[in-house]
Amino acid sequence: MEKHSKIYIAGHRGMVGSAVHRKLIAEGFTNIITRTSQEIDLRNQKEVFDFFNSEKPEYVFLAAAKVGGILANNTFRADFIYENLMIESNIIHHSYLNQVKKLMFFGSSCIYPRMAPQPIKEDYLLTGVLEDTNEPYAIAKIAGIKLCDAYRAQYKCNFISVMPTNMYGLNDNYHPQNAHVLPALIRRIHEAKINHTSEVMVWGSGSPRREFLYADDLADACFMLMQNYNEPGLINIGSGVDLSIKDLAQLVKRVVGFDGELKFDTTKPDGTPRKLMDNTKLKNLGWEPKMKLDEGIEKSYQDFLSKHPNVN
Ligand code: GDP
């Protein structure tokens, strides 16, 4: 990518897309194009056709997706598979038709089998049964990887797929029911502190383990990969460290400054027992994450407070 290359970030208002946007601006890129979901409905083939035809981007970051936490994935199962399949099919196909030089597709660590050996290597894809709570989303994301590979094989398109672990950071979604675990806990524990509640509910048993990566670290890795990596298949992007949901909740408690008790609501699903990704492929390209989890949670909490001042 040259500094003046025309780069389209699909999903620039989301947590991942906005981190990529910040990174490109910081690196001096001057020709970035974005559209809000009011301006273009990426599920609509005609709108995507018109947009690519008139804008002709040279590079595409495909970070637009319907995303959410375990409950949202499990509840809106049709929306998660349909919307993600439509968005990625439209963007990947029209990137091919308009000779996009390179496209990066964002997947997720939930594409791997539920009981995959840990840490999870890229070649464990499609070796076992998926976690049921997010199977529709995972199937859509696996289709995205296969779309990139198929267009590469048949039409020589340089379309690459990256698999980030559980992400957190600025511009996250703090919806009480639909958010991912980290922003959901930041919000709930903050509310408990403000309301002087003696205890906070954490979903599930607290024993599942998750790996977290700060969105700006992800953007940094993606920037490097967009310059240097041109392979079929997928590449994991993680921090290499995981912790239990119980330990995560305790860490959020410390950052927020809440001294009440944690209670576990075992009527809520646990999801996959563990999903720690193997980062060897990325490490061999010389990349390491920078943000420590406690510092990243502190930054996210400050961002939450500034954007949601009335939550109580
Ligand atoms: P996942 O990593 O795809 O399973 O998705 P999440 O980010 O939603 O994380 C889910 C894990 O965190 C499960 O083990 C949940 O039981 C646990 N968890 C604990 N409290 C919460 C909460 O308030 N919201 C969410 N989404 N998950 C929670």
Side-chain angles (χ1 to χ4, degrees):
M1 290 184 302
E2 306 292 332
K3 298 273 147 107
H4 58 267
S5 299
K6 195 166 195 179
I7 305 170
Y8 171 46
I9 306 173
H12 74 290
R13 280 188 165 173
M15 181 170 62
V16 168
S18 65
V20 169
H21 200 189
R22 276 195 298 283
K23 175 70 181 168
L24 291 178
I25 288 171
E27 294 288 338
F29 287 81
T30 54
N31 197 4
I32 303 167
I33 43 175
T34 59
R35 290 289 185 281
T36 64
S37 50
Q38 285 76 45
E39 290 167 324
I40 180 169
D41 180 352
L42 295 171
R43 297 165 301 185
N44 182 306
Q45 191 181 31
K46 173 78 168 65
E47 289 189 32
V48 176
F49 173 91
D50 289 343
F51 168 73
F52 272 81
N53 244 4
S54 65
E55 287 293 344
K56 302 269 180 208
E58 297 171 79
Y59 296 89
V60 173
F61 286 91
L62 205 182
K66 179 161 184 71
V67 296
I70 192 165
L71 196 66
N73 266 278
N74 202 17
T75 309
F76 308 114
R77 295 177 74 92
D79 300 350
F80 272 78
I81 190 164
Y82 170 74
E83 295 190 24
N84 285 307
L85 283 172
M86 295 307 284
I87 293 169
E88 67 203 27
S89 301
N90 285 338
I91 294 184
I92 290 170
H93 184 64
H94 291 95
S95 292
Y96 150 64
L97 289 181
N98 289 280
Q99 290 96 37
V100 163
K101 290 181 185 155
K102 187 164 180 178
L103 173 145
M104 175 177 281
F105 170 68
F106 289 82
S108 156
S109 58
C110 70
I111 54 142
Y112 291 112
R114 171 182 161 82
M115 299 313 284
Q118 310 283 317
I120 311 171
K121 292 188 198 308
E122 286 85 352
D123 45 330
Y124 298 165
L125 179 69
L126 293 174
T127 57
V129 174
L130 298 168
E131 157 64 25
D132 181 62
T133 52
N134 54 27
E135 191 191 59
Y137 177 76
I139 293 281
K141 289 293 179 183
I142 293 170
I145 299 167
K146 295 299 175 187
L147 276 164
C148 289
D149 284 352
Y151 279 80
R152 174 184 291 276
Q154 187 177 347
Y155 297 121
K156 313 264 177 296
C157 297
N158 192 5
F159 294 172
I160 61 172
S161 298
V162 298
M163 296 306 120
T165 189
N166 288 37
M167 305 302 309
Y168 74 104
L170 311 185
N171 302 321
D172 208 343
N173 165 18
Y174 289 90
H175 190 280
Q177 270 78 47
N178 296 338
H180 284 107
V181 57
L182 216 169
L185 289 178
I186 289 179
R187 180 184 180 135
R188 204 168 312 124
I189 292 175
H190 169 75
E191 286 173 343
K193 177 178 120 173
I194 299 296
N195 296 317
H196 306 288
T197 319
S198 60
E199 56 184 46
V200 157
M201 275 296 172
V202 179
W203 295 359
S205 64
S207 62
R209 298 180 69 84
R210 293 289 183 272
E211 176 189 15
F212 295 93
L213 183 72
Y214 193 63
D216 289 80
D217 272 342
L218 172 69
D220 193 58
C222 290
F223 181 71
M224 182 278 288
L225 293 170
M226 201 63 167
Q227 312 277 40
N228 302 321
Y229 171 87
N230 302 297
E231 288 175 29
L234 56 167
I235 181 164
N236 290 341
I237 308 182
S239 60
V241 185
D242 68 351
L243 77 175
S244 70
I245 297 297
K246 185 176 179 189
D247 288 345
L248 176 74
Q250 260 147 6
L251 187 52
V252 174
K253 242 181 82 170
R254 267 208 305 285
V255 171
V256 170
F258 170 67
D259 48 19
E261 232 189 297
L262 299 175
K263 294 268 181 194
F264 293 88
D265 175 0
T266 49
T267 64
K268 293 281 196 307
D270 265 348
T272 308
R274 194 176 183 199
K275 44 177 180 173
L276 175 65
M277 300 208 298
D278 187 312
N279 257 341
T280 309
K281 209 167 155 182
L282 187 62
K283 269 197 177 154
N284 288 343
L285 293 169
W287 187 85
E288 294 273 348
K290 294 191 191 73
M291 184 65 76
K292 291 210 209 86
L293 185 57
D294 53 350
E295 278 173 42
I297 295 177
E298 175 65 45
K299 284 186 191 298
S300 305
Y301 182 43
Q302 294 309 323
D303 186 58
F304 164 75
L305 291 176
S306 70
K307 294 193 178 124
H308 305 272
N310 300 320
V311 167
N312 57 40

PDB file of all heavy atoms in Angstrom, residues 69-70 134 166 179-181 184-185 188 202-204 208 210 245 269-270 275, ligand 1:
ATOM      1  N   GLY A  69     -21.954 -10.903  21.655  1.00  0.00           N
ATOM      2  CA  GLY A  69     -21.526 -11.884  22.639  1.00  0.00           C
ATOM      3  C   GLY A  69     -22.306 -13.179  22.527  1.00  0.00           C
ATOM      4  O   GLY A  69     -23.117 -13.370  21.609  1.00  0.00           O
ATOM      5  N   ILE A  70     -22.089 -14.041  23.484  1.00  0.00           N
ATOM      6  CA  ILE A  70     -22.625 -15.401  23.442  1.00  0.00           C
ATOM      7  C   ILE A  70     -24.157 -15.417  23.343  1.00  0.00           C
ATOM      8  O   ILE A  70     -24.725 -16.201  22.592  1.00  0.00           O
ATOM      9  CB  ILE A  70     -22.095 -16.199  24.669  1.00  0.00           C
ATOM     10  CG1 ILE A  70     -22.374 -17.685  24.542  1.00  0.00           C
ATOM     11  CG2 ILE A  70     -22.628 -15.660  25.995  1.00  0.00           C
ATOM     12  CD1 ILE A  70     -21.574 -18.552  25.532  1.00  0.00           C
ATOM     13  N   ASN A 134     -22.442 -20.355  18.953  1.00  0.00           N
ATOM     14  CA  ASN A 134     -22.114 -19.400  17.885  1.00  0.00           C
ATOM     15  C   ASN A 134     -21.877 -20.080  16.538  1.00  0.00           C
ATOM     16  O   ASN A 134     -21.205 -19.526  15.667  1.00  0.00           O
ATOM     17  CB  ASN A 134     -20.944 -18.484  18.272  1.00  0.00           C
ATOM     18  CG  ASN A 134     -19.728 -19.257  18.698  1.00  0.00           C
ATOM     19  OD1 ASN A 134     -19.539 -20.398  18.275  1.00  0.00           O
ATOM     20  ND2 ASN A 134     -18.907 -18.666  19.533  1.00  0.00           N
ATOM     21  N   ASN A 166     -10.582 -12.978  20.974  1.00  0.00           N
ATOM     22  CA  ASN A 166     -11.596 -12.059  21.540  1.00  0.00           C
ATOM     23  C   ASN A 166     -10.988 -10.663  21.660  1.00  0.00           C
ATOM     24  O   ASN A 166      -9.937 -10.489  22.264  1.00  0.00           O
ATOM     25  CB  ASN A 166     -12.036 -12.532  22.935  1.00  0.00           C
ATOM     26  CG  ASN A 166     -12.895 -13.781  22.884  1.00  0.00           C
ATOM     27  OD1 ASN A 166     -12.663 -14.665  22.060  1.00  0.00           O
ATOM     28  ND2 ASN A 166     -13.888 -13.855  23.739  1.00  0.00           N
ATOM     29  N   ALA A 179     -23.572  -7.622  24.360  1.00  0.00           N
ATOM     30  CA  ALA A 179     -22.131  -7.372  24.255  1.00  0.00           C
ATOM     31  C   ALA A 179     -21.324  -8.636  24.518  1.00  0.00           C
ATOM     32  O   ALA A 179     -21.830  -9.623  25.051  1.00  0.00           O
ATOM     33  CB  ALA A 179     -21.734  -6.301  25.266  1.00  0.00           C
ATOM     34  N   HIS A 180     -20.036  -8.568  24.171  1.00  0.00           N
ATOM     35  CA  HIS A 180     -19.080  -9.618  24.545  1.00  0.00           C
ATOM     36  C   HIS A 180     -18.770  -9.501  26.036  1.00  0.00           C
ATOM     37  O   HIS A 180     -19.075  -8.500  26.669  1.00  0.00           O
ATOM     38  CB  HIS A 180     -17.795  -9.468  23.729  1.00  0.00           C
ATOM     39  CG  HIS A 180     -17.930  -9.934  22.326  1.00  0.00           C
ATOM     40  ND1 HIS A 180     -17.998  -9.071  21.259  1.00  0.00           N
ATOM     41  CD2 HIS A 180     -18.040 -11.171  21.803  1.00  0.00           C
ATOM     42  CE1 HIS A 180     -18.132  -9.766  20.142  1.00  0.00           C
ATOM     43  NE2 HIS A 180     -18.167 -11.042  20.445  1.00  0.00           N
ATOM     44  N   VAL A 181     -18.101 -10.525  26.546  1.00  0.00           N
ATOM     45  CA  VAL A 181     -17.946 -10.609  27.997  1.00  0.00           C
ATOM     46  C   VAL A 181     -17.207  -9.407  28.606  1.00  0.00           C
ATOM     47  O   VAL A 181     -17.651  -8.877  29.629  1.00  0.00           O
ATOM     48  CB  VAL A 181     -17.290 -11.954  28.415  1.00  0.00           C
ATOM     49  CG1 VAL A 181     -15.945 -12.200  27.760  1.00  0.00           C
ATOM     50  CG2 VAL A 181     -17.159 -12.056  29.912  1.00  0.00           C
ATOM     51  N   ALA A 184     -19.264  -6.204  28.641  1.00  0.00           N
ATOM     52  CA  ALA A 184     -20.457  -6.461  29.472  1.00  0.00           C
ATOM     53  C   ALA A 184     -20.079  -6.380  30.951  1.00  0.00           C
ATOM     54  O   ALA A 184     -20.810  -5.783  31.759  1.00  0.00           O
ATOM     55  CB  ALA A 184     -21.046  -7.830  29.146  1.00  0.00           C
ATOM     56  N   LEU A 185     -18.923  -6.938  31.307  1.00  0.00           N
ATOM     57  CA  LEU A 185     -18.507  -6.905  32.719  1.00  0.00           C
ATOM     58  C   LEU A 185     -18.111  -5.496  33.136  1.00  0.00           C
ATOM     59  O   LEU A 185     -18.404  -5.073  34.258  1.00  0.00           O
ATOM     60  CB  LEU A 185     -17.353  -7.887  32.962  1.00  0.00           C
ATOM     61  CG  LEU A 185     -17.733  -9.371  32.912  1.00  0.00           C
ATOM     62  CD1 LEU A 185     -16.503 -10.240  33.119  1.00  0.00           C
ATOM     63  CD2 LEU A 185     -18.811  -9.724  33.951  1.00  0.00           C
ATOM     64  N   ARG A 188     -21.458  -3.791  33.792  1.00  0.00           N
ATOM     65  CA  ARG A 188     -22.223  -4.278  34.940  1.00  0.00           C
ATOM     66  C   ARG A 188     -21.515  -3.959  36.256  1.00  0.00           C
ATOM     67  O   ARG A 188     -22.144  -3.584  37.244  1.00  0.00           O
ATOM     68  CB  ARG A 188     -22.484  -5.776  34.805  1.00  0.00           C
ATOM     69  CG  ARG A 188     -23.710  -6.169  35.600  1.00  0.00           C
ATOM     70  CD  ARG A 188     -24.232  -7.574  35.312  1.00  0.00           C
ATOM     71  NE  ARG A 188     -24.350  -7.848  33.906  1.00  0.00           N
ATOM     72  CZ  ARG A 188     -23.733  -8.895  33.309  1.00  0.00           C
ATOM     73  NH1 ARG A 188     -22.989  -9.734  33.988  1.00  0.00           N
ATOM     74  NH2 ARG A 188     -23.902  -9.096  32.028  1.00  0.00           N
ATOM     75  N   VAL A 202     -22.073 -12.626  37.231  1.00  0.00           N
ATOM     76  CA  VAL A 202     -21.229 -12.989  36.089  1.00  0.00           C
ATOM     77  C   VAL A 202     -21.897 -14.203  35.462  1.00  0.00           C
ATOM     78  O   VAL A 202     -22.304 -15.116  36.186  1.00  0.00           O
ATOM     79  CB  VAL A 202     -19.796 -13.347  36.557  1.00  0.00           C
ATOM     80  CG1 VAL A 202     -18.926 -13.755  35.382  1.00  0.00           C
ATOM     81  CG2 VAL A 202     -19.178 -12.169  37.309  1.00  0.00           C
ATOM     82  N   TRP A 203     -22.030 -14.206  34.146  1.00  0.00           N
ATOM     83  CA  TRP A 203     -22.726 -15.326  33.486  1.00  0.00           C
ATOM     84  C   TRP A 203     -21.870 -16.591  33.502  1.00  0.00           C
ATOM     85  O   TRP A 203     -20.641 -16.518  33.364  1.00  0.00           O
ATOM     86  CB  TRP A 203     -23.040 -14.992  32.039  1.00  0.00           C
ATOM     87  CG  TRP A 203     -24.006 -13.868  31.839  1.00  0.00           C
ATOM     88  CD1 TRP A 203     -24.641 -13.134  32.808  1.00  0.00           C
ATOM     89  CD2 TRP A 203     -24.430 -13.337  30.570  1.00  0.00           C
ATOM     90  NE1 TRP A 203     -25.430 -12.180  32.220  1.00  0.00           N
ATOM     91  CE2 TRP A 203     -25.321 -12.283  30.852  1.00  0.00           C
ATOM     92  CE3 TRP A 203     -24.137 -13.651  29.251  1.00  0.00           C
ATOM     93  CZ2 TRP A 203     -25.930 -11.545  29.853  1.00  0.00           C
ATOM     94  CZ3 TRP A 203     -24.737 -12.917  28.245  1.00  0.00           C
ATOM     95  CH2 TRP A 203     -25.635 -11.874  28.541  1.00  0.00           C
ATOM     96  N   GLY A 204     -22.553 -17.720  33.568  1.00  0.00           N
ATOM     97  CA  GLY A 204     -21.880 -19.017  33.470  1.00  0.00           C
ATOM     98  C   GLY A 204     -21.165 -19.377  34.768  1.00  0.00           C
ATOM     99  O   GLY A 204     -21.380 -18.760  35.819  1.00  0.00           O
ATOM    100  N   PRO A 208     -14.747 -21.071  32.089  1.00  0.00           N
ATOM    101  CA  PRO A 208     -14.204 -21.015  30.720  1.00  0.00           C
ATOM    102  C   PRO A 208     -13.034 -20.042  30.644  1.00  0.00           C
ATOM    103  O   PRO A 208     -13.005 -19.053  31.383  1.00  0.00           O
ATOM    104  CB  PRO A 208     -15.374 -20.499  29.869  1.00  0.00           C
ATOM    105  CG  PRO A 208     -16.579 -20.790  30.657  1.00  0.00           C
ATOM    106  CD  PRO A 208     -16.176 -20.713  32.099  1.00  0.00           C
ATOM    107  N   ARG A 210     -10.624 -17.501  28.252  1.00  0.00           N
ATOM    108  CA  ARG A 210     -10.622 -16.708  27.024  1.00  0.00           C
ATOM    109  C   ARG A 210      -9.321 -15.912  26.928  1.00  0.00           C
ATOM    110  O   ARG A 210      -8.747 -15.517  27.934  1.00  0.00           O
ATOM    111  CB  ARG A 210     -11.805 -15.717  27.003  1.00  0.00           C
ATOM    112  CG  ARG A 210     -13.185 -16.355  26.919  1.00  0.00           C
ATOM    113  CD  ARG A 210     -13.460 -16.970  25.566  1.00  0.00           C
ATOM    114  NE  ARG A 210     -14.810 -17.521  25.485  1.00  0.00           N
ATOM    115  CZ  ARG A 210     -15.149 -18.767  25.839  1.00  0.00           C
ATOM    116  NH1 ARG A 210     -14.242 -19.599  26.308  1.00  0.00           N
ATOM    117  NH2 ARG A 210     -16.407 -19.178  25.716  1.00  0.00           N
ATOM    118  N   ILE A 245     -12.817 -16.703  33.089  1.00  0.00           N
ATOM    119  CA  ILE A 245     -13.795 -15.602  33.174  1.00  0.00           C
ATOM    120  C   ILE A 245     -13.844 -15.070  34.606  1.00  0.00           C
ATOM    121  O   ILE A 245     -13.982 -13.870  34.834  1.00  0.00           O
ATOM    122  CB  ILE A 245     -15.194 -16.096  32.706  1.00  0.00           C
ATOM    123  CG1 ILE A 245     -15.153 -16.507  31.228  1.00  0.00           C
ATOM    124  CG2 ILE A 245     -16.279 -15.053  32.969  1.00  0.00           C
ATOM    125  CD1 ILE A 245     -14.840 -15.415  30.221  1.00  0.00           C
ATOM    126  N   PRO A 269     -25.177 -19.686  29.487  1.00  0.00           N
ATOM    127  CA  PRO A 269     -24.230 -20.651  28.901  1.00  0.00           C
ATOM    128  C   PRO A 269     -22.759 -20.282  29.128  1.00  0.00           C
ATOM    129  O   PRO A 269     -22.417 -19.109  29.236  1.00  0.00           O
ATOM    130  CB  PRO A 269     -24.553 -20.590  27.396  1.00  0.00           C
ATOM    131  CG  PRO A 269     -25.201 -19.274  27.187  1.00  0.00           C
ATOM    132  CD  PRO A 269     -25.890 -18.900  28.470  1.00  0.00           C
ATOM    133  N   ASP A 270     -21.923 -21.309  29.205  1.00  0.00           N
ATOM    134  CA  ASP A 270     -20.475 -21.132  29.324  1.00  0.00           C
ATOM    135  C   ASP A 270     -19.813 -20.968  27.956  1.00  0.00           C
ATOM    136  O   ASP A 270     -18.750 -20.363  27.845  1.00  0.00           O
ATOM    137  CB  ASP A 270     -19.849 -22.378  29.981  1.00  0.00           C
ATOM    138  CG  ASP A 270     -19.690 -22.217  31.486  1.00  0.00           C
ATOM    139  OD1 ASP A 270     -19.841 -21.085  31.993  1.00  0.00           O
ATOM    140  OD2 ASP A 270     -19.421 -23.233  32.150  1.00  0.00           O
ATOM    141  N   LYS A 275     -10.411 -21.193  24.341  1.00  0.00           N
ATOM    142  CA  LYS A 275      -9.977 -20.952  22.947  1.00  0.00           C
ATOM    143  C   LYS A 275      -8.760 -20.031  22.908  1.00  0.00           C
ATOM    144  O   LYS A 275      -8.870 -18.853  22.631  1.00  0.00           O
ATOM    145  CB  LYS A 275     -11.114 -20.477  22.038  1.00  0.00           C
ATOM    146  CG  LYS A 275     -12.035 -19.428  22.578  1.00  0.00           C
ATOM    147  CD  LYS A 275     -13.048 -19.019  21.509  1.00  0.00           C
ATOM    148  CE  LYS A 275     -13.988 -17.972  22.027  1.00  0.00           C
ATOM    149  NZ  LYS A 275     -14.863 -17.421  21.027  1.00  0.00           N
TER     150      LYS A 275
HETATM  151  P1  GDP B   1     -17.463 -16.187  23.304  1.00  0.00           P
HETATM  152  O1  GDP B   1     -16.029 -15.965  23.653  1.00  0.00           O
HETATM  153  O2  GDP B   1     -17.686 -16.315  21.841  1.00  0.00           O
HETATM  154  O3  GDP B   1     -18.064 -17.339  24.069  1.00  0.00           O
HETATM  155  O4  GDP B   1     -18.297 -14.889  23.658  1.00  0.00           O
HETATM  156  P2  GDP B   1     -18.350 -13.839  24.871  1.00  0.00           P
HETATM  157  O5  GDP B   1     -17.382 -12.738  24.670  1.00  0.00           O
HETATM  158  O6  GDP B   1     -19.789 -13.454  24.951  1.00  0.00           O
HETATM  159  O7  GDP B   1     -17.834 -14.620  26.186  1.00  0.00           O
HETATM  160  C1  GDP B   1     -18.617 -15.559  26.725  1.00  0.00           C
HETATM  161  C2  GDP B   1     -18.040 -16.147  28.025  1.00  0.00           C
HETATM  162  O8  GDP B   1     -18.058 -15.171  29.066  1.00  0.00           O
HETATM  163  C3  GDP B   1     -18.972 -17.271  28.468  1.00  0.00           C
HETATM  164  O9  GDP B   1     -18.253 -18.222  29.225  1.00  0.00           O
HETATM  165  C4  GDP B   1     -19.965 -16.505  29.336  1.00  0.00           C
HETATM  166  O10 GDP B   1     -20.651 -17.364  30.243  1.00  0.00           O
HETATM  167  C5  GDP B   1     -19.017 -15.538  30.062  1.00  0.00           C
HETATM  168  N1  GDP B   1     -19.673 -14.306  30.561  1.00  0.00           N
HETATM  169  C6  GDP B   1     -19.734 -13.948  31.868  1.00  0.00           C
HETATM  170  N2  GDP B   1     -20.447 -12.825  32.015  1.00  0.00           N
HETATM  171  C7  GDP B   1     -20.825 -12.430  30.777  1.00  0.00           C
HETATM  172  C8  GDP B   1     -21.590 -11.319  30.297  1.00  0.00           C
HETATM  173  O11 GDP B   1     -22.067 -10.482  31.027  1.00  0.00           O
HETATM  174  N3  GDP B   1     -21.759 -11.233  28.938  1.00  0.00           N
HETATM  175  C9  GDP B   1     -21.216 -12.156  28.090  1.00  0.00           C
HETATM  176  N4  GDP B   1     -21.399 -11.989  26.771  1.00  0.00           N
HETATM  177  N5  GDP B   1     -20.538 -13.236  28.513  1.00  0.00           N
HETATM  178  C10 GDP B   1     -20.340 -13.377  29.842  1.00  0.00           C
END
